[in-house]
Amino acid sequence: MIVYNSDMEYKPGEFEPRWAHKWEEEGINKAVDKSDLQKTYLLIEFPYPSGDRLHVGHARSYCCLDAVARKRRMQGQNVLFPFGWDAFGLPAENFAVKTGVHPKITTRQNIEHAKKQVISWGLSFDWDREINTTDPEYYRWTQWIFVQLFNRGLAYKAEITVNWCPSCRINLANEEVVDGCCERCGTKTERRKQSQWLLRITAYADRLLSDLKTVNFREDIARQQINWIGKKEGAAVKFKIQITNNKSNSNDNYIEVFTTRIDTLFGVTYLVLAPEHPLVQEITNPKVKDYISKALNKSERERKQKTGKTGVDTELTAINPANGEKVPIWIADYVMMDVGTGAIMGVPGHDERDMEFAKEHNLEVRQVVEEGKLINSGKYTGMGSGEAGERMIKDGLGEKSCHYHLRDWVFSRQHYWGEPIPMINCSKCAENHRSFFTTSPLTPLHNCGEGNERGEVEMYGWFPVPEDQLPVELPEIEKYQPTQTGESPLAHIESFVQTTCPNCGGLARRETDTMPNWAGSSWYFLRYIDPHNDKALADPEKLKYWLPVDWYNGGMEHTTLHLLYSRFWHKFLFDLGVVPTSEPYAKRTSHGMILGPDSRKMSKSRGNVINPDEVVAKFGADSLRLYEMFIGPFDQTTTWSWESLEGVHRFLKRVWVLIVDSGKLIVESSGEAKNRMARLVNKIDRDLESMKFNTAVAALMEFLNWWTEHQLEVGKDLVEMFLRILAPLAPFITEELYQTRFGNKTKYISIHSLEWPKIKVENGGEKTSIVITVDGKVRGKVEDPPGGEAGQESVSKKALEMENVKKYIEGKVYKTVYVPGKILNFVIAHGSK
Ligand code: ANZ
Ligand code: ZN
């Protein structure tokens, strides 16, 4: 039992740890599987347990969603709010390379510390469901999903050009290369050929796009998904190459271009091939060779620059299928090999980039569209653009075609600290395969939505590890360094590599590549639903109850790839019948970044990093929480301010003193106080649901101000109510005050297990509008005023700012007559002017 605390001083450090412990002991935050209650699945992105600990940015996401979780529990919902660790990754491995300490050990230590942080912040996670992606019982299912992908032809191995970071000694996915440099360390990456596993995400491109209509993602987040998929609908047009040298002997050589504007076909004055285009490789002209070698060394950004477009004339020509004209063929690096077909038709009259190029190289510019209608275009002249395009396709000048920015997902990493890819290669079976198939089995299809133009597929003799042998556990090793050849360090461990072929029982070799960081996070929200299941990834009944995730919040940096990858895996699992929904997340939001007090990005080198642990030690966790909510609009970047943190802390102190004090008073709550409270209850509810955490805190402060001045109007009922609605935001102080002032002294019932207050505004909570009159004549209206004296004050202040009122009153002596909720009349003293 808790001793009544009459201490006038607010000392959060004395009770916060006690309550955190008590809540855990009582299990008040546990989600119940399959209850009749309305379910809510709230998800925040699980962190990487780094040596730098959790920062104030993590706290922003966690604390705000925690307030929603706590409120919804009070509103009678069965809330799943879980937590875990995305623990594979390079930092632990790099640390191991340097110090020899096994990543398992550093990971465990980092988790222990971060968990203490999270508990001290009073987050209401259900710890029974804690997961860790590096736990073999977890990654067993990550590997299982990979095997299913392989069995359905969605995982394949191919020789591809990879981005090699010579400093990290790792192959990076295209999306991990920023302006030609490694995303992690900034070193310039090199292009090399290597055999890699890929996942055929492109097969899902259309569904990843169209299903966005079925979910509620913040608009800019949905837009990022759309842009990354980058679907372009247009046409493929073939231009026959004119044979001018006798080297090319075939007469069906042609260049296929991709265009979104086939209607401009009569405006084509040249063609351009990307420097990487296969046809270019056949040209031996030294000028061309020289240009290509220069172009290949440029970064993508340099190539996409607006001005100074370089190129070289091949002196070859092709025939425009629309009018039989000869057009010159150029090579230029503003055309990208990985867009469309790597070849374009140049229409400088209607495309800015082409115009820039044409000016630079004195190429003809021809107008063929004017105000949406075709000109100079043979029989198409006079038609609208859209119609003309369709006609041209009907007439066989081109074929409908679409292209995507999305590429198949490079899924191999040559690193130790990741999930082993559960595949086995048998050379004997490969031999048999080769004589059996004329082409490699599982050759990717080339159709619309197929992003793999990535070279030889090597599928001979590959077998998945039988499911009953999963997980393939990471072996202990001594050297964590990736090898100079680019092979994974696992390749050195003979006992790991050697195995038996699941097909013929002969000697075979294991895959030594591991999965990328993205793997474990692509399905973790499913495992929370049934974290200890050893028969399946999760129980179908439980999945049916909990899915989809109702609200997912995380950083803006994960709204492209992580979201896309996890949606892809989820859709695949849906197709397998493993999950009951085709989309994982019903709603996705993101929180803004917190900048240092100097308004710059927090970084160790700038010394402007705020450590949340210090904030808790000095002000208490409730102050940290409340400040994280108060700091600014949730989705916007804001600056850390100690002053405003202290303001929030002062607010909590005042709450403490007022309530400790109010024990002495026994008053009836006034109607005005009740109305204010009713409005406040609704506002907190609405604001938390619409992510306006900052205005929720502001409203609580405003109420406190009024209360301080009207202490004789606030009775015990409202004090208790105030604590209840503050509880989701500041769980510790409210629990302490509730238990010591109101709680059941014989049986512990947490304030967090109470119901959310139900209270109605007397006049139904409708917007009230006050009619403003001057000497009885209606001159205006003021909406939604507060009640009581404050009401009169604020209404007359607003009224006196209205032009139509001002002009009758200005300079005159008046008095006001106020009928609360109805009318405010200004009475002019006659005789005054
Ligand atoms: C002729 C044309 C005329 C085009 C016109 C556009 C406007 P957007 O415009 O971004 O939707 N394109 C195709 N493949 C390319 C490649 N490999 N590298 C660089 N550019 C390429 O993208 C479609 C247009 O991008 C295509 O349509 C093509 O130029 C260009 F008035 O063809 B268009
Ligand atoms: Zn075999």
Side-chain angles (χ1 to χ4, degrees):
M1 210 181 74
I2 295 118
V3 187
Y4 187 87
N5 187 345
S6 58
D7 195 339
M8 286 297 289
E9 221 185 307
Y10 171 47
K11 293 179 193 152
E14 284 181 6
F15 56 80
E16 286 186 351
R18 166 159 48 82
W19 287 122
H21 181 77
K22 181 81 175 165
W23 297 331
E24 218 21 59
E25 202 177 81
E26 298 280 327
I28 64 167
N29 303 319
K30 304 264 172 276
V32 185
D33 289 321
K34 292 184 276 183
S35 107
D36 288 335
L37 296 175
Q38 189 192 333
K39 70 94 184 176
T40 288
Y41 187 172
L42 297 173
L43 182 69
I44 39 96
E45 275 170 2
F46 63 162
Y48 174 75
S50 92
D52 291 338
R53 314 306 184 207
L54 299 175
H55 52 71
V56 292
H58 293 115
R60 191 173 193 192
S61 174
Y62 305 168
C63 294
C64 290
L65 267 271
D66 184 63
V68 177
R70 287 178 178 278
K71 181 189 68 85
R72 288 195 186 179
R73 277 192 207 101
M74 292 174 84
Q75 289 171 322
Q77 298 183 26
N78 182 22
V79 176
L80 174 55
F81 187 45
F83 199 64
W85 312 98
D86 189 12
F88 275 127
L90 265 191
E93 179 165 317
N94 288 343
F95 190 73
V97 169
K98 252 198 278 167
T99 62
V101 181
H102 195 286
K104 233 194 267 175
I105 296 170
T106 32
T107 300
R108 199 195 313 119
Q109 289 166 344
N110 291 343
I111 286 178
E112 251 166 53
H113 193 280
K115 190 167 174 176
K116 272 192 200 134
Q117 289 182 285
V118 168
I119 290 173
S120 79
W121 300 347
L123 300 169
S124 61
F125 294 129
D126 180 348
W127 287 104
D128 287 353
R129 296 170 187 264
E130 180 181 3
I131 56 174
N132 176 342
T133 54
T134 64
D135 177 352
E137 277 313 302
Y138 180 90
Y139 68 70
R140 169 184 177 186
W141 299 105
T142 314
Q143 291 175 337
W144 182 86
I145 296 171
F146 182 90
V147 170
Q148 310 312 310
L149 285 161
F150 174 81
N151 287 342
R152 276 147 190 90
L154 294 168
Y156 61 95
K157 198 161 202 195
E159 171 101 350
I160 58 160
T161 308
V162 295
N163 307 292
W164 167 257
C165 172
S167 157
C168 297
R169 290 201 233 155
I170 185 177
N171 290 315
L172 302 167
N174 280 336
E175 38 275 26
E176 292 165 324
V177 179
V178 181
D179 293 329
C181 296
C182 172
E183 182 195 59
R184 306 151 197 274
C185 74
T187 307
K188 213 168 157 74
T189 57
E190 295 162 10
R191 311 274 290 166
R192 313 190 178 180
K193 287 252 176 203
Q194 192 151 16
S195 183
Q196 303 272 45
W197 286 99
L198 288 104
L199 298 186
R200 204 185 304 280
I201 188 173
T202 49
Y204 281 75
D206 274 323
R207 282 165 66 193
L208 287 167
L209 200 59
S210 59
D211 283 355
L212 284 171
K213 290 189 204 96
T214 68
V215 292
N216 171 17
F217 288 4
R218 211 177 64 198
E219 210 180 308
D220 55 330
I221 297 174
R223 175 61 35 205
Q224 282 181 317
Q225 300 277 291
I226 292 167
N227 289 346
W228 193 265
I229 296 164
K231 182 175 185 172
K232 278 187 187 150
E233 286 173 286
V237 182
K238 289 178 179 174
F239 289 74
K240 211 170 194 152
I241 302 173
Q242 274 241 306
I243 312 299
T244 50
N245 64 357
N246 42 19
K247 263 195 186 164
S248 301
N249 42 17
S250 98
N251 51 4
D252 59 351
N253 262 351
Y254 58 82
I255 292 171
E256 184 176 304
V257 304
F258 172 70
T259 175
T260 50
R261 293 289 308 276
I262 189 172
D263 61 301
T264 62
L265 197 50
F266 285 80
V268 174
T269 54
Y270 62 94
L271 299 185
V272 184
L273 302 173
E276 300 88 347
H277 197 284
L279 283 175
V280 169
Q281 317 316 317
E282 293 172 21
I283 302 173
T284 48
N285 176 339
K287 230 174 44 182
V288 170
K289 287 256 175 252
D290 183 51
Y291 178 75
I292 291 169
S293 72
K294 275 191 196 132
L296 294 183
N297 275 326
K298 282 198 199 168
S299 73
E300 195 167 317
R301 189 159 64 181
E302 283 171 295
R303 288 176 59 167
K304 282 186 173 163
Q305 253 162 15
K306 274 221 154 87
T307 55
K309 289 196 162 49
T310 61
V312 61
D313 189 351
T314 64
E315 285 158 24
L316 299 172
T317 51
I319 307 289
N320 185 337
N323 53 14
E325 266 181 42
K326 278 196 214 171
V327 288
I329 303 170
W330 282 67
I331 297 166
D333 60 18
Y334 81 98
V335 173
M336 303 291 159
M337 194 56 223
D338 60 357
V339 179
T341 60
I344 65 146
M345 56 188 221
V347 187
H350 300 282
D351 183 277
E352 253 182 77
R353 298 157 292 189
D354 295 346
M355 184 60 164
E356 191 65 43
F357 185 74
K359 275 198 297 198
E360 199 96 24
H361 303 281
N362 287 318
L363 292 156
E364 190 196 339
V365 178
R366 202 181 285 175
Q367 300 288 331
V368 288
V369 186
E370 212 157 68
E371 287 170 9
K373 284 215 161 68
L374 267 65
I375 53 168
N376 303 327
S377 297
K379 68 174 189 181
Y380 304 95
T381 299
M383 288 182 197
S385 265
E387 191 200 343
E390 267 164 39
R391 274 298 178 84
M392 289 177 182
I393 286 170
K394 258 204 197 120
D395 294 347
L397 295 180
E399 269 176 47
K400 268 209 165 109
S401 160
C402 66
H403 283 275
Y404 297 82
H405 171 252
L406 186 66
R407 291 285 170 266
D408 279 349
W409 174 7
V410 180
F411 202 66
S412 281
R413 296 293 181 277
Q414 287 70 42
H415 267 269
Y416 173 69
W417 194 228
E419 303 88 342
I421 291 179
M423 295 297 296
I424 294 168
N425 190 262
C426 171
S427 51
K428 202 169 121 211
C429 290
E431 275 311 309
N432 293 341
H433 264 147
R434 248 182 227 115
S435 51
F436 196 77
F437 293 97
T438 43
T439 58
S440 179
L442 295 167
T443 298
L445 308 164
H446 280 267
N447 57 15
C448 196
E450 173 53 59
N452 172 55
E453 293 107 28
R454 313 191 98 153
E456 271 312 290
V457 175
E458 305 171 347
M459 294 306 297
Y460 299 108
W462 280 108
F463 302 98
V465 173
E467 285 176 26
D468 60 6
Q469 288 172 29
L470 296 178
V472 177
E473 282 200 51
L474 266 175
E476 298 284 328
I477 63 171
E478 265 155 38
K479 279 198 196 127
Y480 303 98
Q481 264 101 335
T483 64
Q484 280 300 355
T485 62
E487 266 186 316
S488 151
L490 293 180
H492 295 315
I493 315 295
E494 265 312 301
S495 58
F496 174 79
V497 175
Q498 278 193 15
T499 185
T500 48
C501 169
N503 192 45
C504 71
L507 211 58
R509 295 179 73 78
R510 273 189 204 284
E511 174 59 68
T512 58
D513 285 355
T514 54
M515 299 187 192
N517 270 9
W518 309 99
S521 59
S522 287
W523 72 282
Y524 73 112
F525 52 94
L526 299 176
R527 192 62 178 172
Y528 282 141
I529 289 173
D530 197 7
H532 309 294
N533 196 325
D534 60 2
K535 302 275 171 325
L537 171 157
D539 174 45
E541 286 302 311
K542 291 181 187 170
L543 290 169
K544 210 163 143 191
Y545 176 72
W546 286 111
L547 286 176
V549 171
D550 294 278
W551 184 350
Y552 187 18
N553 186 70
M556 265 323 268
E557 66 276 22
H558 298 132
T559 48
T560 308
L561 296 176
H562 160 60
L563 221 53
L564 203 63
Y565 292 156
S566 57
R567 291 178 63 223
F568 161 44
W569 277 33
H570 195 83
K571 285 185 182 309
F572 169 66
L573 292 172
F574 175 68
D575 291 349
L576 286 188
V578 173
V579 299
T581 60
S582 65
E583 282 285 332
Y585 320 116
K587 169 176 167 177
R588 164 74 195 206
T589 56
S590 280
H591 53 280
M593 205 174 21
I594 301 179
L595 304 174
D598 54 359
S599 297
R600 297 202 299 170
K601 208 173 157 183
M602 287 190 200
S603 85
K604 270 194 257 173
S605 59
R606 292 200 185 104
N608 62 350
V609 178
I610 305 291
N611 178 353
D613 298 347
E614 278 171 30
V615 177
V616 172
K618 203 161 163 208
F619 299 97
D622 280 334
S623 291
L624 172 72
R625 293 175 58 107
L626 222 53
Y627 179 58
E628 294 272 358
M629 292 178 215
F630 190 57
I631 192 165
F634 183 63
D635 55 0
Q636 285 169 32
T637 299
T638 47
T639 297
W640 184 270
S641 151
W642 285 108
E643 234 167 77
S644 132
L645 172 73
E646 277 168 32
V648 161
H649 183 63
R650 228 175 296 123
F651 162 73
L652 288 174
K653 266 205 249 188
R654 285 173 58 203
V655 169
W656 179 269
V657 170
L658 204 56
I659 293 180
V660 169
D661 234 9
S662 74
K664 295 172 219 142
L665 300 168
I666 300 169
V667 295
E668 278 280 306
S669 297
S670 70
E672 160 82 11
K674 280 185 192 154
N675 271 345
R676 278 173 179 272
M677 178 55 75
R679 277 204 293 270
L680 184 62
V681 171
N682 287 333
K683 183 163 174 62
I684 303 299
D685 185 16
R686 270 186 282 124
D687 280 3
L688 294 193
E689 291 301 328
S690 53
M691 302 193 309
K692 293 189 203 138
F693 302 100
N694 55 333
T695 56
V697 176
L700 288 160
M701 291 173 163
E702 209 177 291
F703 182 87
L704 186 80
N705 287 343
W706 182 83
W707 177 7
T708 309
E709 280 160 23
H710 300 79
Q711 293 194 36
L712 294 178
E713 290 186 50
V714 179
K716 253 192 133 154
D717 53 335
L718 295 190
V719 177
E720 198 221 31
M721 222 175 262
F722 183 80
L723 285 176
R724 283 199 210 189
I725 58 172
L726 177 60
L729 296 87
F732 293 109
I733 186 175
T734 49
E735 179 80 311
E736 179 75 6
L737 287 169
Y738 176 78
Q739 296 303 335
T740 53
R741 298 291 173 302
F742 301 92
N744 187 324
K745 291 281 177 294
T746 52
K747 182 167 175 267
Y748 169 70
I749 299 168
S750 169
I751 188 170
H752 304 293
S753 308
L754 300 179
E755 268 183 39
W756 185 254
K758 287 194 186 81
I759 172 172
K760 276 206 182 113
V761 179
E762 221 83 299
N763 54 20
E766 307 277 287
K767 257 202 177 157
T768 45
S769 60
I770 310 284
V771 178
I772 311 298
T773 56
V774 179
D775 278 342
K777 287 207 180 76
V778 177
R779 300 293 179 200
K781 239 188 338 192
V782 170
E783 303 270 19
D784 208 13
E789 272 165 43
Q792 177 166 357
E793 252 169 51
S794 96
V795 172
S796 70
K797 189 163 160 263
K798 278 187 197 151
L800 289 169
E801 281 160 13
M802 290 156 64
E803 284 308 318
N804 200 36
V805 175
K806 250 203 267 190
K807 68 180 177 201
Y808 293 102
I809 294 180
E810 229 154 24
K812 298 186 178 136
V813 179
Y814 64 88
K815 70 176 194 197
T816 53
V817 180
Y818 184 55
V819 184
K822 292 210 170 73
I823 220 168
L824 179 78
N825 188 22
F826 292 98
V827 186
I828 310 286
H830 289 282
S832 77
K833 56 169 193 76

